[in-house]
Amino acid sequence: MFSERVDRLTSSLIRELLALTQKPDIISFAGGLPAREAMPPLDLSDPPPDLSQYGTTDGEPELRAAIAGQLADLGLRCRPEQILITTGSQQGIDLVSKLYIDPGTSVAVEAPSYLAALQSFRLFGARFEELALTASGIDPEQLRQAIQRQRPAFVYLIPTFQNPAGVCYDEATRAAVAAVLRETGTPLLEDEPYRELVYEPVDRGPLCARLDEGNTWMYMGTFSKTGIPGLRVGYLAASVDVHPYLVRLKQSTDLHTNRIGQWWCARFLNSRDYPAHLERLRTFYRERRDAMQTALTRHLGDLAEWTTPNGGLFFWVRLKAGGDTRALLVRALERKVAFMPGEAFFTSPSAAHGAFMRLNFSHATPEQLERGLAVLAEVIREQRGMTKTEATAGVVEI
Amino acid sequence: MFSERVDRLTSSLIRELLALTQKPDIISFAGGLPAREAMPPLDLSDPPPDLSQYGTTDGEPELRAAIAGQLADLGLRCRPEQILITTGSQQGIDLVSKLYIDPGTSVAVEAPSYLAALQSFRLFGARFEELALTASGIDPEQLRQAIQRQRPAFVYLIPTFQNPAGVCYDEATRAAVAAVLRETGTPLLEDEPYRELVYEPVDRGPLCARLDEGNTWMYMGTFSKTGIPGLRVGYLAASVDVHPYLVRLKQSTDLHTNRIGQWWCARFLNSRDYPAHLERLRTFYRERRDAMQTALTRHLGDLAEWTTPNGGLFFWVRLKAGGDTRALLVRALERKVAFMPGEAFFTSPSAAHGAFMRLNFSHATPEQLERGLAVLAEVIREQRGMTKTEATAGVVEI
């Protein structure tokens, strides 16, 4: 009696784990929760009384203007009228799914990719074309072939500090990917939640800024990583050919985004302290990243491999000897440690994907991080049928 | 290149008019905007710092408990765990559409019905079965036949101060409609935004409270009519067989509703002043309703007919001589007066529907109301090819 799409409704392992990670005695590397102590203060006193009334679907003019100004600084020229304020950037994914996806519609995605985006595309019936990620991004030639073969309705990319893989596309890859999109006229959905969480200088000019006038582009951002996630404010900037449809789809989805959150975000973006807040945030997370790098090397150095991310919130770790990180999670949870098994981030999981796990470094304190990774190393050794002593003994024998 | 559903995307006349009605010189009877001056104060100082973090999809426990308590007082027994906090009650409509509607799915609706619900159902591909409204509600026998003939996935009803018709189902109709739903096992979506805006004692026990244990039911409420619409907080209570699906659909739609709005709503519901606030609100709107009743009788008494609503925000007015209220709107807007043509509220409009218009009485001041209806009467007379002088002259001749 339900719709067909309900058969495609998969539950989010992330959300189910969130319930567990909220228990105070769990050390969680699972979610993507920003650190509470790094968030800006939430001053909501004396909101303008007009904000109590219903608002417009597009969003508050002051916030849209501030965002357009930021995007212009990144080289993405668009008018405030092209910006739709969304109820978190997750809503942007829902709206784009509604705009493009019928059962069987092809969508090209990175492998691995953001779990909740894959779930939304799948809910609407998408057929996936996977684009393998390397340390420098996707392969432009593979993208071209995928487009020629499958004619995807759009390509979904997270080029900057990708979730889950942490990859930041390099300049040559950005240029080549944009060239393929221009030449084939393929719509792009670029998702950039982590843009401002940068710890070393890297190439990160938006792909959307490199497209032509006639290209269809959609660019998503959020205030949940730099500001206050509980306010649920994000945005979806888009080329003029699709923006009006997205507005009408949002209208039928929730009329408009809460105005108090929009008011707070506009003041936040326009505040004199905003650049300094970003710097403090980067310093804070850089230290956490470095702490995880150190602890990973100490505890998992002989068990796993990874690349240190230059931004974002995650390490993407592969067990050298392979294995099944889903089964590992069950054991780790018994020991009060949580992480995300990698398999969930692939649209067509294979045995090889079972060796990956995503470790968040923003939420746990350095002490929890040290302790949690020590436990994780023990559990990995146990799964491999070795105790730590045996492993160490092995090393001594050489 | 877009999805099929985009072909079914209709723009909301209400939202397009909202842009016009925001001009200060327009007298608007068009929207359903609550009066700014009747809203409670929006005190958001000192929010609990924990609310800055991401929250759970279901919603804040304190708010869910308060709502469950309220529903119990109405005879609708449900646990807090069955309540999903939504981003306005419009989101409830989107989630139920996602849960039930594939292209061609039958949905039974009142005729007329809430425009934005019809638009959402249509977007997902619903086929409509119309249930004619009378002054006492829908005809239970027509409902039974529609169910037997079309097997609708669910029935969508607004039994209390219906939008747009203002009808409140009487006790006998409520009992008979619930009996048909029980006997046929048909899921019910009951939408009650106006429940608390009651101006005279009337029957208004929820239909959902009269269903059996095994019946599927969904009950929507909102804080936008009694509280602060700009916060975008509503809820969707549901039977245990559907609640978990609705939660997972919300998760993929916007993760969760903004927590500041939920915090404010919980304090609002639990405040000692809440019952007194409702009484003040009812007095305020009762006076506005009475002012419109008086002005309607004075200016449109010979031109139109209507029933005085016992609650809600609208008069549903029929031009006695018929006519086309869409064309009338164009002329009225030239004279700076806005209203909603009735045709848009029907899924299969006929010429007879063109004679209806919906007039909101909550937003305009009594002075604007008097002036606006005088203009509307003039425009109606002009459309009929008569000046007011001619019409008056006609009366004198008798």
Side-chain angles (χ1 to χ4, degrees):
Chain A
M1 304 288 266
F2 291 153
S3 66
E4 264 184 44
R5 83 179 60 75
V6 172
D7 297 337
R8 298 185 296 260
L9 184 62
T10 52
S11 182
S12 163
L13 199 54
I14 289 184
R15 301 299 300 182
E16 282 168 24
L17 283 168
L18 199 61
L20 291 175
T21 60
Q22 283 176 337
K23 292 183 185 168
D25 60 339
I26 288 269
I27 298 175
S28 178
F29 307 122
L33 295 188
R36 180 57 208 96
E37 56 270 45
M39 290 179 198
L42 182 57
D43 177 6
L44 295 173
S45 45
D46 301 317
D50 280 357
L51 293 190
S52 289
Q53 190 53 278
Y54 281 104
T56 56
T57 301
D58 296 275
E60 300 299 313
E62 191 188 4
L63 181 57
R64 299 168 77 197
I67 292 166
Q70 280 214 326
L71 295 181
D73 290 345
L74 301 176
L76 181 53
R77 282 172 49 199
C78 75
R79 297 193 311 280
E81 292 74 26
Q82 289 172 260
I83 290 165
L84 174 64
I85 305 300
T86 55
T87 303
S89 66
Q90 184 67 33
Q91 182 176 63
I93 292 168
D94 179 63
L95 298 179
V96 173
S97 298
K98 283 175 172 163
L99 181 60
Y100 281 107
I101 306 178
D102 286 319
T105 297
S106 170
V107 176
V109 299
E110 294 155 326
S113 185
Y114 174 47
L115 182 53
L118 300 180
Q119 288 177 327
S120 176
F121 301 156
R122 186 182 291 122
L123 180 68
F124 283 88
R127 201 162 38 82
F128 292 108
E129 190 66 14
E130 288 198 326
L131 307 165
L133 266 182
T134 70
S136 56
I138 56 170
D139 173 3
E141 261 321 298
Q142 196 198 356
L143 174 65
R144 185 189 301 278
Q145 288 164 20
I147 289 172
Q148 283 166 352
R149 197 170 52 243
Q150 297 291 340
R151 297 268 148 220
F154 62 94
V155 180
Y156 172 69
L157 301 177
I158 314 164
T160 307
F161 316 133
Q162 208 258 6
N163 177 4
V167 167
C168 190
Y169 289 28
D170 64 19
E171 178 58 29
T173 305
R174 286 175 189 260
V177 166
V180 172
L181 295 173
R182 279 198 309 272
E183 288 159 24
T184 59
T186 309
L188 170 65
L189 174 59
E190 185 171 19
D191 188 5
E192 294 230 302
Y194 306 109
R195 147 164 301 280
E196 298 297 354
L197 304 185
V198 53
Y199 315 131
E200 282 89 28
V202 283
D203 302 326
R204 52 189 179 113
L207 291 175
C208 286
R210 299 161 197 251
L211 301 181
D212 287 336
E213 194 79 9
N215 266 110
T216 298
W217 59 267
M218 295 161 284
Y219 180 93
M220 300 203 306
T222 179
F223 296 92
S224 295
K225 308 305 175 189
T226 52
I228 304 285
L231 291 176
R232 310 304 301 123
V233 182
Y235 64 89
L236 177 56
S239 50
V240 292
D241 54 332
V242 290
H243 172 81
Y245 292 99
L246 293 164
V247 175
R248 286 156 68 182
L249 287 165
K250 175 168 171 73
Q251 179 186 300
S252 112
T253 300
D254 68 358
L255 299 187
H256 67 83
T257 293
N258 86 86
R259 300 180 74 187
I260 292 296
Q262 294 188 62
W263 168 67
W264 186 87
C265 289
R267 287 199 307 174
F268 173 61
L269 273 192
N270 290 329
S271 75
R272 291 178 62 163
D273 187 54
Y274 180 70
H277 166 72
L278 291 186
E279 280 312 315
R280 288 193 298 273
L281 203 62
R282 289 165 185 157
T283 302
F284 181 93
Y285 283 133
R286 188 186 294 114
E287 283 172 13
R288 292 227 162 156
R289 182 209 52 183
D290 291 346
M292 180 165 267
Q293 168 68 24
T294 305
L296 269 176
T297 305
R298 175 158 45 235
H299 297 293
L300 274 77
D302 56 334
L303 298 170
E305 57 190 12
W306 61 88
T307 304
T308 309
N310 296 122
L313 300 175
F314 306 107
F315 279 78
W316 181 240
V317 173
R318 198 184 77 84
L319 300 180
K320 285 183 187 168
D324 175 4
T325 55
R326 280 183 187 257
L328 196 67
L329 175 63
V330 176
R331 283 165 169 266
L333 281 173
E334 286 167 6
R335 306 278 301 274
K336 312 275 188 198
V337 172
F339 64 87
M340 276 300 297
E343 196 189 289
F345 300 93
F346 295 89
T347 61
S348 42
S350 73
H353 299 146
F356 286 98
M357 56 186 168
R358 189 192 72 178
L359 299 179
N360 165 267
F361 59 79
S362 58
H363 192 59
T365 64
E367 296 70 33
Q368 289 177 321
L369 203 152
E370 174 66 25
R371 196 146 40 87
L373 288 185
V375 168
L376 196 54
E378 287 176 26
V379 176
I380 294 168
R381 288 199 170 82
E382 283 167 21
Q383 193 189 37
R384 292 172 54 186
M386 294 190 288
T387 64
K388 182 159 187 183
T389 324
E390 283 168 351
T392 311
V395 173
V396 170
E397 273 177 2
I398 291 167
Chain B
M1 301 291 266
F2 292 153
S3 67
E4 266 184 42
R5 82 179 61 74
V6 173
D7 298 336
R8 298 185 295 260
L9 184 62
T10 51
S11 181
S12 163
L13 200 54
I14 289 183
R15 300 299 299 181
E16 282 170 22
L17 283 168
L18 200 61
L20 289 175
T21 61
Q22 282 177 338
K23 294 185 184 166
D25 61 339
I26 288 268
I27 298 175
S28 178
F29 307 121
L33 295 187
R36 182 56 209 95
E37 57 268 45
M39 289 179 197
L42 182 58
D43 178 7
L44 295 172
S45 45
D46 300 318
D50 281 357
L51 294 190
S52 288
Q53 191 51 279
Y54 282 105
T56 56
T57 302
D58 294 277
E60 300 300 313
E62 191 188 6
L63 180 58
R64 298 168 78 198
I67 292 167
Q70 280 214 327
L71 295 181
D73 291 345
L74 301 176
L76 181 53
R77 284 171 49 199
C78 76
R79 298 193 311 280
E81 291 74 26
Q82 288 170 259
I83 290 165
L84 173 63
I85 306 300
T86 54
T87 303
S89 66
Q90 184 67 33
Q91 184 177 62
I93 292 169
D94 179 63
L95 299 178
V96 172
S97 299
K98 283 175 171 162
L99 181 59
Y100 281 107
I101 307 178
D102 285 319
T105 297
S106 169
V107 176
V109 299
E110 295 154 327
S113 185
Y114 174 48
L115 182 54
L118 299 181
Q119 288 178 327
S120 175
F121 300 157
R122 185 181 292 123
L123 180 69
F124 282 88
R127 198 161 39 84
F128 292 108
E129 190 66 15
E130 288 199 323
L131 306 165
L133 266 183
T134 69
S136 57
I138 57 169
D139 173 4
E141 261 320 297
Q142 195 199 357
L143 174 64
R144 185 188 300 277
Q145 289 164 18
I147 289 172
Q148 284 167 350
R149 196 171 52 242
Q150 297 291 340
R151 296 269 149 221
F154 64 93
V155 179
Y156 172 69
L157 301 177
I158 314 162
T160 306
F161 316 133
Q162 207 257 5
N163 177 4
V167 167
C168 190
Y169 288 28
D170 64 20
E171 178 58 30
T173 304
R174 286 173 189 262
V177 166
V180 172
L181 295 172
R182 281 198 308 271
E183 288 159 26
T184 58
T186 310
L188 170 65
L189 174 59
E190 185 172 18
D191 188 3
E192 295 232 301
Y194 306 109
R195 149 164 299 282
E196 298 297 356
L197 304 184
V198 53
Y199 315 129
E200 281 88 29
V202 283
D203 303 325
R204 54 194 178 110
L207 292 175
C208 286
R210 299 161 197 250
L211 301 180
D212 288 335
E213 196 78 11
N215 267 110
T216 298
W217 58 267
M218 295 160 282
Y219 180 93
M220 299 202 307
T222 179
F223 295 93
S224 295
K225 309 303 175 189
T226 53
I228 304 284
L231 290 176
R232 310 303 302 128
V233 182
Y235 63 89
L236 177 57
S239 50
V240 294
D241 54 333
V242 290
H243 172 80
Y245 293 98
L246 292 165
V247 174
R248 286 156 69 186
L249 287 166
K250 177 170 169 73
Q251 180 185 300
S252 111
T253 301
D254 68 357
L255 299 186
H256 66 81
T257 293
N258 86 87
R259 299 180 75 187
I260 291 297
Q262 295 188 60
W263 168 67
W264 185 88
C265 289
R267 288 199 309 172
F268 174 61
L269 272 191
N270 290 329
S271 75
R272 290 178 63 163
D273 187 53
Y274 180 70
H277 166 72
L278 290 186
E279 279 313 315
R280 287 192 298 272
L281 204 59
R282 289 165 185 156
T283 302
F284 180 93
Y285 284 133
R286 188 187 294 114
E287 283 172 10
R288 292 229 163 154
R289 185 216 40 193
D290 291 345
M292 180 166 268
Q293 168 68 26
T294 304
L296 269 176
T297 304
R298 177 162 39 237
H299 296 294
L300 276 77
D302 55 336
L303 298 170
E305 56 191 14
W306 62 86
T307 304
T308 308
N310 295 123
L313 299 175
F314 305 108
F315 279 78
W316 181 240
V317 173
R318 196 184 78 84
L319 299 180
K320 285 181 186 169
D324 175 4
T325 55
R326 281 185 185 256
L328 196 67
L329 176 61
V330 176
R331 282 165 169 265
L333 281 173
E334 285 168 7
R335 304 280 299 273
K336 312 276 188 197
V337 173
F339 65 87
M340 276 299 296
E343 197 188 290
F345 300 93
F346 296 89
T347 61
S348 43
S350 72
H353 299 145
F356 286 97
M357 56 185 169
R358 190 191 73 176
L359 299 179
N360 165 266
F361 59 79
S362 58
H363 192 59
T365 64
E367 296 68 36
Q368 290 177 319
L369 203 150
E370 174 66 26
R371 198 147 37 91
L373 288 185
V375 168
L376 197 53
E378 285 176 30
V379 176
I380 294 168
R381 287 200 172 85
E382 282 167 20
Q383 193 189 37
R384 290 171 56 188
M386 293 190 288
T387 65
K388 184 162 186 182
T389 323
E390 283 167 354
T392 311
V395 171
V396 171
E397 274 177 3
I398 291 167

